[in-house]
């Protein structure tokens, strides 16, 4: 998926979720009861918005970590399957088994989406501690998902609630610790960001702040779409678009900083 397409999916998800919230607010303010059709429509819209975000996470992983694109595509696929199962359960007279299937698909989509988010944030400068927390969090996430699906599918008390609670706490702890460790690690290391493997390497930019080594990545869309994507993610854009010459010829670059302080250049050849 190209950067422009990714932004389109994100905007669609946000729009659907906002529309569902707006309808709910109107119903609450009007004082009227929520009829069956309206409730089903809102439930479908919320499911679409949520599963669009998990699919976006899978798409983002394929862009940031091409070697993990199989996981990204699998997350997109399970997100689509989860939406179909959830919509069918909402609009059809499904029995308990139908809702169990939809619930299992939703759990898998959430686990896949969050795994993609965690892996997309992996960087070459991550130390052993950050890597251990990241992969420990992913392991706890999938163990929690497995236990939740087993509990959902079983008819009795087959899952130990204490074990489920311990795994949930470990998963939440890792989710909170990881961004904190990534923010503090660069200050302790003080090492410049290494250049990427093959392809265009670090180049000086305009201004004193850009006169340092940095990572240069090829952006698949236009430079303007890169600016929009960075603005949507809250990244600090330092400069751009500006003309630059790269390995593929003339292009336009945008400079920004990652949350860990690393300087990154996105060069677009479109």
């Amino acid at each position: 998926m190209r950067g422009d397409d990714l932004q389109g999916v994100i905007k669609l998800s946000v729009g659907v979720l906002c529309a569902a919230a707006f309808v709910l607010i109107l119903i609450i303010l009007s004082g009227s009861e929520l009829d069956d059709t309206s409730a089903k429509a809102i439930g479908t819209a919320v499911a679409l918005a949520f599963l669009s975000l998990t699919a976006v996470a899978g798409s983002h992983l394929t862009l940031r970590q091409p070697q993990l694109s199989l996981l990204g595509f699998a997350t997109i696929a399970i997100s689509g399957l989860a939406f179909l199962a959830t919509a069918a359960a909402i609009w059809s007279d499904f029995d308990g088994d139908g809702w169990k299937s939809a619930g299992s698909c939703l759990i898998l989509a959430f686990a896949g989406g969050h795994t993609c988010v965690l892996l997309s944030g992996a960087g070459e400068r991550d130390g052993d501690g950050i890597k251990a927390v990241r992969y420990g969090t992913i392991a706890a996430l999938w163990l929690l998902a497995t236990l939740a699906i087993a509990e959902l599918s079983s008819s009795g008390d087959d899952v130990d609630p204490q074990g489920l609670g311990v795994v949930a706490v470990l998963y939440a702890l890792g989710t909170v610790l990881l961004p904190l460790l990534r923010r503090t690690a660069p200050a302790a290391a003080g090492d410049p960001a290494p250049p990427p493997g093959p392809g265009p390497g670090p180049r000086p930019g305009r201004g004193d702040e850009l006169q340092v080594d940095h990572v240069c990545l090829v952006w698949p869309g236009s430079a303007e779409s890169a600016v929009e994507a960075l603005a949507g993610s809250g990244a600090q854009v330092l400069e751009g678009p500006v003309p630059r010459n790269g390995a593929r010829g003339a292009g336009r670059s945008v400079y920004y900083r990652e949350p860990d302080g690393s300087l990154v250049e996105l060069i677009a050849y479109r």
Side-chain angles (χ1 to χ4, degrees), residues 78-260:
I78 191 62
S79 298
L81 179 61
F83 174 72
L84 294 177
T86 303
I90 291 174
W91 291 95
S92 303
D93 294 329
F94 266 23
D95 54 13
D97 291 337
W99 278 108
K100 288 180 180 180
S101 299
S104 298
C105 290
L106 286 170
I107 293 172
L108 288 175
F110 171 77
H114 196 191
T115 299
C116 290
V117 171
L118 293 172
L119 293 176
S120 295
E124 295 180 1
R125 300 178 66 191
D126 291 345
D128 293 337
I130 293 178
K131 292 178 181 178
V133 172
R134 173 179 291 108
Y135 292 115
T137 303
I138 293 174
L141 168 61
W142 281 99
L143 179 56
L144 182 63
T146 302
L147 293 175
I149 292 174
E151 178 68 17
L152 185 64
S153 304
S154 63
S155 56
D157 298 329
D158 297 336
V159 178
D160 180 14
Q162 291 181 335
L164 187 64
V166 170
V167 175
V169 170
L170 291 175
Y171 161 64
L173 178 63
T175 302
V176 173
L177 281 180
L178 187 59
L180 296 178
L181 292 175
R182 283 182 61 85
R183 281 188 173 275
T184 57
D191 295 325
R203 296 193 299 273
R206 294 179 182 175
D208 295 338
E209 189 175 12
L210 302 183
Q211 299 294 334
V212 295
D213 287 346
H214 61 278
V215 176
C216 180
L217 303 173
V218 176
W219 179 257
S222 63
E224 287 75 14
S225 70
V227 173
E228 292 180 4
L230 292 172
S233 65
Q236 177 189 2
V237 179
L238 300 178
E239 185 179 5
V242 292
R244 290 288 185 268
N245 288 323
R248 302 181 187 176
R252 300 171 71 207
S253 294
V254 177
Y255 295 85
Y256 76 99
R257 287 198 181 278
E258 290 281 4
D260 62 1

